[in-house]
Amino acid sequence: MNVQWGTTNEDNLCNTSGTVHYGLGIDSLNLSSVADCFPFSVGKYQVEQSNYVAQMTDLSPSTMYYYYVSTDDSNSEVFYFRSAPDATTILQNLPQYFLVWGDLGSSKSLPMSSSTIMPYTSTEVQQGNVDMILHVGDLAYDMSDDNGTRAQLWMNEIMNMSAYVPYMVDAGNHEQDYRFAHYTEYFRASPLNYDYPTVTSDNGEAPNNWFTSYDNGLVHIVTLSSEILFHTPALIEDQNDWLKNDLAKANENRENVPWIIVHAHRPLYCSCDGDCDGAATRMRLVFEQIVYDAGVDLFISGHEHNYERMYDVAPWFNEHRPWLSGITTQSTTNPPATIYIITGDAGNRENHETFQRDQPNRTAFRTDAYGYSRMSIYNTSHLYWEQVECDASQDPAVERQVIDSFWLVQHHHGPFNNTSSN
């Protein structure tokens, strides 16, 4: 388990040492690990910061640990987390419970008509049932705003979640400033890609957290950068080659880790507006066949400030109306293709994104109300998904209520057979 924290107002960046202290109880924090420090400095218009990253090692699986971090004589409060399960403990710790959302602003980038989801999701985390958070891009709105202090504000605001459970992210278009420097440096503690080890932002070369993957219990999670397609196209081929190899390895291990979930900021399919034309088509041209051939169970994205859950969608291109591409059997039980979900309605200064087009037959449910998603992996074949509405501008009777849910049942994990035709 990695932990990261930052300090400012230093005469020289990284001129103090950092340590994480941890153990099995508040009064028995007898283990420690020295942090590496990475200076963040991208120019005179952005606040400088020392970013510390430490690894807590030799952890027993599925076990509660307590920890605090320190830099010289300054200590944080004590936090806690539950370590990840392994093959010996996973069955006793099901279901695996994830919170999922995208496009979450800070208290300085609120929707005009409502707060963000943070009060609701923070409560869920503090109740102790959440195993992981997946945030599918667009963080803080924007991390570089206010000379970069927006990033610091937002990181502090999510701390009542991220200090207790892994807060996993991917890069969105709102992270593009300074060549994704804030995203790259503020999330150095994320799982790293050692097959393609480094990326370069305006802060310099850093370990690759743009596209990577990891196993957690029964699920193999793949983080992709949709923004490579639009901002750093020289990396498209590298990301794709890595993705094919990673999914091939994941399929070899599906007896042990059956579920494969991919997340990236921009969607392959949507039905709200012009985003569903050129940009979504480009995403499909790059990723769709790879995802389909590998039998990816679920592809999660944000970018559209709404929620749209689709059925299984197999590759097929509609040359007359590209946004209506794809073939569906409208199945959620042993679906013959990947299921796509957009959950980009966590709330930010850009407000709701309404649906300006008719609902296609591949879409099971859609809404532009603010909210967040829950994903529970019950076993090797059953996954349960819910959408919770958190929008004061909508009907108060459904505030904090589940407005959409479904079971994804898959008894035959593995590559899909292409049966689509024109």
Side-chain angles (χ1 to χ4, degrees):
M1 174 70 76
N2 293 335
V3 60
Q4 178 168 343
W5 68 99
T7 62
T8 56
N9 301 321
E10 297 183 62
D11 294 331
N12 296 295
L13 295 179
C14 292
N15 68 343
T16 60
S17 61
T19 305
V20 59
H21 307 265
Y22 60 102
L24 294 172
I26 295 178
D27 298 323
S28 56
L29 302 175
N30 54 351
L31 302 172
S32 64
S33 178
V34 176
D36 294 318
C37 187
F38 305 95
F40 179 76
S41 179
V42 292
K44 64 181 181 179
Y45 299 110
Q46 293 290 299
V47 65
E48 295 182 331
Q49 176 164 308
S50 297
N51 286 319
Y52 295 87
V53 179
Q55 185 177 28
M56 291 176 278
T57 59
D58 300 321
L59 303 178
S60 298
S62 303
T63 301
M64 187 69 73
Y65 284 88
Y66 297 81
Y67 75 98
Y68 70 91
V69 299
S70 64
T71 50
D72 285 354
D73 58 352
S74 176
N75 298 335
S76 74
E77 63 184 282
V78 176
F79 305 101
Y80 56 84
F81 68 93
R82 185 170 58 248
S83 59
D86 68 4
T88 67
T89 64
I90 182 61
L91 294 181
Q92 293 76 42
N93 288 276
L94 293 174
Q96 292 179 255
Y97 186 51
F98 298 76
L99 300 183
V100 190
W101 60 74
D103 302 77
L104 175 63
S106 74
S107 61
K108 285 193 174 182
S109 59
L110 292 176
M112 289 184 290
S113 57
S114 174
S115 65
T116 68
I117 63 169
M118 285 195 219
Y120 309 99
T121 55
S122 298
T123 298
E124 287 219 41
V125 170
Q126 294 302 315
Q127 289 171 345
N129 298 319
V130 178
D131 293 301
M132 182 178 290
I133 292 168
L134 298 179
H135 184 154
V136 291
D138 277 5
L139 324 173
Y141 280 77
D142 289 355
M143 296 183 84
S144 62
D145 281 8
D146 302 326
N147 301 111
T149 60
R150 181 69 55 84
Q152 296 173 338
L153 169 68
W154 186 79
M155 295 296 283
N156 285 330
E157 289 178 339
I158 67 167
M159 189 169 63
N160 57 2
M161 299 181 287
S162 62
Y164 300 94
V165 299
Y167 196 106
M168 315 307 284
V169 294
D170 64 58
N173 54 297
H174 279 269
E175 282 72 73
Q176 67 180 284
D177 287 353
Y178 300 94
R179 291 192 296 168
F180 299 92
H182 298 80
Y183 170 89
T184 305
E185 298 298 329
Y186 278 71
F187 289 95
R188 271 184 174 259
S190 300
L192 303 176
N193 184 341
Y194 295 103
D195 294 322
Y196 191 91
T198 61
V199 291
T200 302
S201 74
D202 280 7
N203 199 67
E205 190 174 71
N208 179 11
N209 58 8
W210 294 8
F211 53 97
T212 187
S213 68
Y214 52 95
D215 291 341
N216 186 273
L218 296 179
V219 59
H220 180 71
I221 299 175
V222 180
T223 302
L224 294 179
S225 173
S226 60
E227 301 318 293
I228 283 176
L229 280 63
F230 302 90
H231 300 288
T232 55
L235 294 179
I236 291 176
E237 185 175 353
D238 293 326
Q239 180 171 235
N240 274 18
D241 288 345
W242 169 82
L243 177 61
K244 292 175 186 176
N245 290 332
D246 181 80
L247 291 176
K249 293 177 183 176
N251 269 299
E252 292 174 357
N253 192 39
R254 254 181 148 158
E255 183 175 348
N256 300 309
V257 184
W259 295 98
I260 299 180
I261 295 175
V262 176
H263 64 93
H265 179 59
R266 300 189 195 224
L268 278 66
Y269 290 98
C270 59
S271 65
C272 53
D273 53 31
D275 285 347
C276 310
D277 297 323
T281 299
R282 190 171 185 182
M283 287 287 292
R284 291 196 301 275
L285 289 173
V286 172
F287 293 125
E288 184 176 28
Q289 197 65 47
I290 300 173
V291 166
Y292 179 77
D293 289 345
V296 169
D297 296 294
L298 191 60
F299 193 109
I300 307 170
S301 59
H303 192 59
E304 315 309 324
H305 298 166
N306 49 53
Y307 169 78
E308 183 171 6
R309 174 174 64 85
M310 283 151 271
Y311 296 108
D312 60 299
V313 185
W316 174 72
F317 183 65
N318 186 327
E319 61 183 59
H320 301 293
R321 303 179 75 186
W323 74 279
L324 291 178
S325 295
I327 291 178
T328 183
T329 67
Q330 295 189 330
S331 173
T332 59
T333 298
N334 295 325
T338 303
I339 285 177
Y340 293 87
I341 297 178
I342 298 168
T343 178
D345 53 348
N348 61 73
R349 67 188 179 205
E350 295 180 355
N351 299 295
H352 302 93
E353 188 164 2
T354 59
F355 291 94
Q356 301 172 20
R357 298 177 178 183
D358 293 338
Q359 180 170 319
N361 68 347
R362 66 171 182 256
T363 295
F365 184 91
R366 63 183 193 173
T367 179
D368 65 357
Y370 299 129
Y372 66 96
S373 303
R374 299 167 175 160
M375 180 177 70
S376 300
I377 298 176
Y378 274 82
N379 51 41
T380 60
S381 59
H382 285 66
L383 181 156
Y384 189 58
W385 184 277
E386 297 175 299
Q387 178 68 8
V388 181
E389 183 170 313
C390 306
D391 195 331
S393 70
Q394 304 291 318
D395 182 357
V398 296
E399 179 82 11
R400 210 171 182 178
Q401 300 298 309
V402 174
I403 59 171
D404 179 49
S405 63
F406 81 106
W407 282 100
L408 170 54
V409 180
Q410 183 57 269
H411 295 102
H412 312 295
H413 295 284
F416 299 119
N417 295 318
N418 192 346
T419 58
S420 63
S421 60
N422 289 358

